[in-house]
Amino acid sequence: MAKGKHAPAPGAVTDKVLHPNSRKIRKYQKAEIHRHNVNEKKAKNGGQKMSLLGERLAWFRDNLHACVDQISPENITASSILELVEGYLSRFDEELEQIKVKNSIGAKSKRKQHASRQDSI
């Protein structure tokens, strides 16, 4: 495509060799580097999310036997699922209490310590 308003002349060279230090080449390189970085971040973060999900599912698999005698679709009830979910949510209660105590001691400071751990729980 021509650079200006008008179409290129019939016989003009369209496959022009660009200088390696030209602005166009730098623009293409910048876009390619950005695309590469975005793909790397997606792969890295996607793997972390999948591992977290795998850990959660493994916890449910391991603790399902405590709520249900025999694992089959007929034996799994809503109350057993509720008990399992409550157990999952209450597994960090002691740690959350310790974080609350630590934050209440230094109540003057506005900055919360252990906020990232609290968010991850």
Side-chain angles (χ1 to χ4, degrees):
M1 187 72 199
K3 188 174 181 181
K5 295 180 183 179
H6 305 288
V13 178
T14 57
D15 295 331
K16 207 173 176 182
V17 177
L18 298 174
H19 193 274
N21 294 334
S22 69
R23 291 181 191 153
K24 279 187 180 181
I25 293 296
R26 286 186 184 158
K27 179 180 167 185
Y28 294 141
Q29 287 174 344
K30 182 179 177 183
E32 188 61 34
I33 289 171
H34 177 72
R35 192 174 308 118
H36 176 72
N37 290 340
V38 166
N39 289 338
E40 274 187 7
K41 285 181 184 178
K42 279 184 185 178
K44 185 176 110 177
N45 292 339
Q48 288 176 347
K49 288 178 184 178
M50 291 302 286
S51 68
L52 288 174
L53 179 64
E55 288 176 11
R56 290 180 187 139
L57 292 175
W59 188 91
F60 279 100
R61 181 196 62 214
D62 296 340
N63 292 302
L64 186 61
H65 297 290
C67 295
V68 181
D69 296 330
Q70 187 178 6
I71 298 176
S72 66
E74 298 85 24
N75 292 338
I76 299 175
T77 62
S79 61
S80 63
I81 297 294
L82 181 63
E83 182 182 342
L84 192 62
V85 170
E86 287 174 351
Y88 179 77
L89 294 175
S90 67
R91 63 193 172 129
F92 293 115
D93 283 345
E94 293 176 11
E95 190 174 352
L96 288 173
E97 287 298 322
Q98 288 178 354
I99 291 172
K100 285 180 185 178
V101 167
K102 286 181 182 179
N103 287 338
S104 68
I105 291 171
K108 292 180 182 177
S109 64
K110 294 181 181 180
R111 186 181 69 141
K112 287 186 177 180
Q113 289 183 337
H114 311 291
S116 64
R117 177 63 181 151
Q118 205 170 9
D119 291 340
S120 67
I121 291 174

